[in-house]
Amino acid sequence: MTDQRPAAAATAPPPLAGLRERKKRRTRDALLRASLELFTTKGYERTTVDEITDAVEVSQRTFFRYFASKEEVAFAVQDLVESHFVAALEARPAAEGPLVAMRNAVLTAWDTIEEAIGEVVPVDLHMRAYQLIESTPALLAVHLRRSTELEERIARLIAVREGLDVDTDPRPRVAVAAFSGVMRVTGRLWGRGEDSSVAAIRRMTEDYLDQIGPALAADWR
């Protein structure tokens, strides 16, 4: 007699495995939220790993099972945001030029940030943490290094979109450098302001990106 069970039933993971994964995800998310709350209220450098683990009622060993350091946890949500932007850029129509595609992708990413990170941390907590990064020298230095790595990733993506060799044609890196420069300026100015909302940084980003063309014009007068 043959086994008539669907093939999926034979390969489905045991229910306990799914429960364990959900528990791990909940623990990681709780550590992440507690870390960002402490960073944004006490300050990044004044917050200790002990305080984070006490807030979640877990051991230091548990913290280091999920994060290698305070720095890693500080940028964990930023990783999600950057990946969300890259996915939005990959989804842009091929007919859009590089700067138009990047502009539309970043605005789309801001418009849909809730779906990217909402299950992990509240958006307003991320925005406060982003402001903290912009105003904390140790974190800002890391942010700039990470931005350089992201620029290279985007430049290679743009080169693929345009059918170019990024190592022989400078245009993808030049276009991304212009775009990234605007993003750094808006992030810095937004971080100094009193309005830490998504709407505020989106509005500023759109305004400044729209100035790339005029700013590169030969004659400003």
Side-chain angles (χ1 to χ4, degrees), residues 132-210:
L132 177 77
I133 289 171
E134 289 288 342
S135 60
T136 304
L139 293 178
L140 184 57
V142 176
H143 184 46
L144 293 175
R145 172 178 56 77
R146 287 165 48 88
S147 295
T148 300
E149 295 168 357
L150 180 61
E151 285 176 25
E152 182 64 15
R153 182 181 176 188
I154 298 170
R156 291 186 176 277
L157 176 55
I158 291 295
V160 170
R161 280 176 53 93
E162 300 299 316
L164 304 174
D165 182 348
V166 73
D167 294 319
T168 59
D169 192 320
R171 288 176 295 176
R173 287 194 176 103
V174 170
V176 172
F179 170 80
S180 298
V182 171
M183 297 305 295
R184 281 194 291 274
V185 168
T186 56
R188 185 171 66 249
L189 295 176
W190 170 82
R192 293 174 183 170
E194 296 182 358
D195 188 347
S196 62
S197 67
V198 171
I201 194 170
R202 187 200 186 281
R203 184 169 57 249
M204 186 178 291
T205 298
E206 184 173 22
D207 290 344
Y208 274 65
L209 285 175
D210 287 345

Side-chain angles (χ1 to χ4, degrees), residues 79-89 105 108-116:
D79 283 337
L80 294 176
V81 172
E82 290 170 359
S83 295
H84 187 53
F85 162 70
V86 171
L89 180 56
T108 296
W110 280 126
D111 289 340
T112 57
I113 190 172
E114 174 70 35
E115 69 186 49

Side-chain angles (χ1 to χ4, degrees), residues 102-123:
M102 287 187 286
R103 174 191 182 279
N104 290 339
V106 75
L107 296 180
T108 296
W110 280 126
D111 289 340
T112 57
I113 190 172
E114 174 70 35
E115 69 186 49
I117 67 171
E119 292 186 0
V120 180
V121 298
V123 173

